[in-house]
Amino acid sequence: MRYHTAVLHAGSNELEKHGATLPPIYQSSAFAQQSAESLAGIFENKAPGYCYTRVANPTVSAFENRITKLEGGMASVACASGMAALTTAFLNILQAGDEIITSASLYGGTIDLFRDLESFGIRTVFVENNDWDTIEGAINENTKLIFAETIGNPGLDVTDIKKLSELAHAHGLPLIVDNTTATSYLIRPLEWGADIVVNSSSKYINGNSSAISGILTDRGRFKWSKEKYPMLTDYVKFGPMAYICRMRATIFRNFGACLSPQNAYLNLLGVETLGLRMERQCENAYKLASWIEDNYPEIKVNYPGLESSPWNLIAKEQFTKGYGAIFTMRVGSKERAFALINALKLALKVSNIGDTKTLVIHPESTISLHSTPKQKEEAGVYEDLIRVSVGIEDLQDLMEDFQQAIEHIENTKGEE
């Protein structure tokens, strides 16, 4: 199926017995079976079925199936949040003494997660995105995975997924990619060589800030070694399903960060318009960023779709339908950043991204608050930086809103 068809029809659920056009919400914590033997078989992972929503739920399965098809993967696991999905993806194969190599340009919450993993004896090495010599030089016998964001948030650097995957695989390492800011509409990282893709589905997949959730999708092609990944010793016999089988049987089930049926349903509603929303939002972001850059040279605009972006060539190579719906502006000082944000009338002051409405935030004082000065610099976070997540509003209204806000801070500067 092509994309706009797939968001509506891919991964259909066999449980739709009554003709419902959307999967029903199975708002139940537990499911009865016909016999003790049937229930035992489900618990032993020897028979299909549902027993407890912490383990699996039909509505959640319908959402997982849809995302699996959209990302071009083999299987997905949906979690309570994007951070839960990342944590589950990492801890499924890591143990004390292991190391992660990651791009330094990351969402602040992910940087915080890597700091928390230190308590488990898991070390993270931060490197500049697409700096191949430094990445390769950081690999040692303890390295167990490489991680990056498709489009860094809020640095907006674009990862060369094909080249990074080739480097990772040359050293027998899996590549995990966070595709939240790009979504499967712009790129399928698994088709470019990534092994596992993670989405904070609270963002563009949901589309209207109505549900917290995250989901990871396994490509099913990485050759897991029980010597290098001893946590998978009992699961390598399942071949392509080793990673997901281990996750379902242990880390996901036992940590309990499951997605609620209600939120899975809200995501299924949202995903049906994902392609249409991304098409509009990417177009709005490109035109709004270009307009600000052309008309206000004192403002430094960063957007992968602009010729001025150092990531423009990689973006053009990897993305065929747009360059994302986020751009950033540097306006000279933290005070001016706050003043501009406060002067905007349509754009909401919200820490989320991917909403139908345009959202603005000052990352340095919010999502990157707990990062060190070095981490902020590496992630492209500065005191005068504003991140704009562009919505589906009429472009002319957005231009007028930003125009009056920019003129407001310019007039205020003149008065000073």
Side-chain angles (χ1 to χ4, degrees):
M1 301 179 195
R2 293 166 180 82
Y3 198 83
H4 293 297
T5 305
V7 294
L8 299 171
H9 299 288
S12 59
N13 193 328
E14 297 178 357
L15 296 172
E16 306 314 313
K17 300 176 181 178
H18 304 291
T21 58
L22 280 167
I25 305 172
Y26 285 85
Q27 195 62 46
S28 177
S29 61
F31 299 86
Q33 303 299 322
Q34 295 298 316
S35 68
E37 289 81 4
S38 297
L39 189 58
I42 293 172
F43 265 79
E44 293 173 349
N45 299 314
K46 294 182 178 179
Y50 299 94
C51 59
Y52 195 55
T53 286
R54 172 166 58 81
V55 180
N57 176 281
T59 312
V60 177
S61 294
F63 173 58
E64 292 170 338
N65 293 340
R66 183 70 51 84
I67 297 301
T68 298
K69 295 296 184 182
L70 293 180
E71 288 288 358
M74 180 193 64
S76 296
V77 175
C79 302
S81 68
M83 297 309 301
L86 281 177
T87 304
T88 303
F90 297 150
L91 295 184
N92 194 46
I93 54 174
L94 299 178
Q95 61 184 355
D98 290 343
E99 292 186 4
I100 302 169
I101 294 176
T102 180
S103 160
S105 180
L106 298 175
Y107 165 59
T110 305
I111 295 174
D112 293 342
L113 170 62
F114 286 134
R115 185 184 302 117
D116 292 333
L117 290 179
E118 293 175 4
S119 300
F120 295 84
I122 298 169
R123 178 173 176 262
T124 301
V125 179
F126 295 89
V127 298
E128 183 179 346
N129 202 8
N130 299 342
D131 183 343
W132 311 118
D133 290 339
T134 302
I135 294 171
E136 191 150 27
I139 297 173
N140 59 47
E141 66 276 7
N142 297 320
T143 306
K144 294 300 169 64
L145 68 87
I146 295 178
F147 174 77
E149 294 177 350
T150 309
I151 304 176
N153 175 18
L156 302 183
D157 50 310
V158 180
T159 300
D160 188 332
I161 298 174
K162 185 175 185 295
K163 194 164 184 178
L164 185 58
S165 67
E166 290 172 349
L167 189 155
H169 296 159
H171 292 272
L173 300 170
L175 173 61
I176 300 180
V177 172
D178 186 326
N179 200 36
T180 299
T181 52
T183 79
S184 58
Y185 175 76
L186 295 184
I187 186 172
R188 288 177 167 183
L190 300 181
E191 294 181 351
W192 288 75
D195 299 289
I196 295 153
V197 62
V198 181
N199 283 279
S200 174
S201 41
S202 317
K203 311 301 190 296
Y204 293 98
I205 290 174
N206 173 266
N208 55 30
S209 301
S210 64
I212 293 289
S213 59
I215 188 164
L216 62 93
T217 305
D218 182 13
R219 185 184 182 205
R221 294 186 184 178
F222 188 77
K223 304 298 184 183
W224 300 103
S225 161
K226 59 184 178 182
E227 289 76 26
K228 193 165 189 174
Y229 300 93
M231 301 176 81
L232 295 177
T233 297
D234 295 335
Y235 301 92
V236 292
K237 61 186 177 184
F238 296 111
M241 287 293 292
Y243 181 86
I244 291 294
C245 284
R246 199 265 168 175
M247 181 176 291
R248 287 286 188 189
T250 60
I251 196 81
F252 172 76
R253 178 189 300 236
N254 298 335
F255 273 42
C258 58
L259 178 60
S260 73
Q262 178 70 41
N263 283 358
Y265 176 79
L266 292 172
N267 287 342
L268 283 164
L269 286 177
V271 78
E272 291 196 346
T273 59
L274 174 59
L276 294 174
R277 286 185 284 105
M278 284 297 291
E279 182 177 0
R280 173 64 173 246
Q281 288 171 281
C282 290
E283 181 182 5
N284 274 356
Y286 176 73
K287 290 182 177 180
L288 184 58
S290 299
W291 175 79
I292 294 173
E293 183 177 62
D294 291 343
N295 289 277
Y296 301 96
E298 71 277 11
I299 294 177
K300 186 176 182 180
V301 181
N302 181 23
Y303 179 68
L306 299 177
E307 296 290 339
S308 57
S309 168
W311 312 102
N312 184 247
L313 292 178
I314 300 176
K316 285 181 177 178
E317 179 184 349
Q318 291 189 159
F319 308 138
T320 58
K321 301 177 182 177
Y323 302 98
I326 298 172
F327 70 89
T328 63
M329 306 185 296
R330 294 189 64 181
V331 295
S333 70
K334 181 177 181 178
E335 291 72 24
R336 285 169 61 81
F338 274 36
L340 194 153
I341 289 172
N342 291 337
L344 289 167
K345 297 176 180 179
L346 287 178
L348 304 179
K349 305 162 191 64
V350 175
S351 62
N352 200 16
I353 60 173
D355 199 293
T356 50
K357 296 169 281 294
T358 295
L359 315 175
V360 293
I361 194 174
H362 180 253
E364 194 271 340
S365 63
T366 55
I367 58 174
S368 297
L369 178 63
H370 304 294
S371 297
T372 66
K374 183 175 184 295
Q375 288 172 335
K376 290 178 182 179
E377 182 179 358
E378 291 175 338
V381 177
Y382 305 95
E383 282 196 345
D384 65 337
L385 185 81
I386 298 171
R387 186 189 72 186
V388 184
S389 173
V390 183
I392 63 172
E393 297 95 341
D394 285 302
L395 178 63
Q396 193 61 39
D397 289 326
L398 292 176
M399 287 180 174
E400 291 173 0
D401 192 22
F402 276 83
Q403 180 180 16
Q404 65 83 23
I406 293 170
E407 290 178 354
H408 170 76
I409 65 169
E410 290 302 320
N411 293 335
T412 302
K413 180 181 178 182
E415 294 173 1
E416 293 175 352

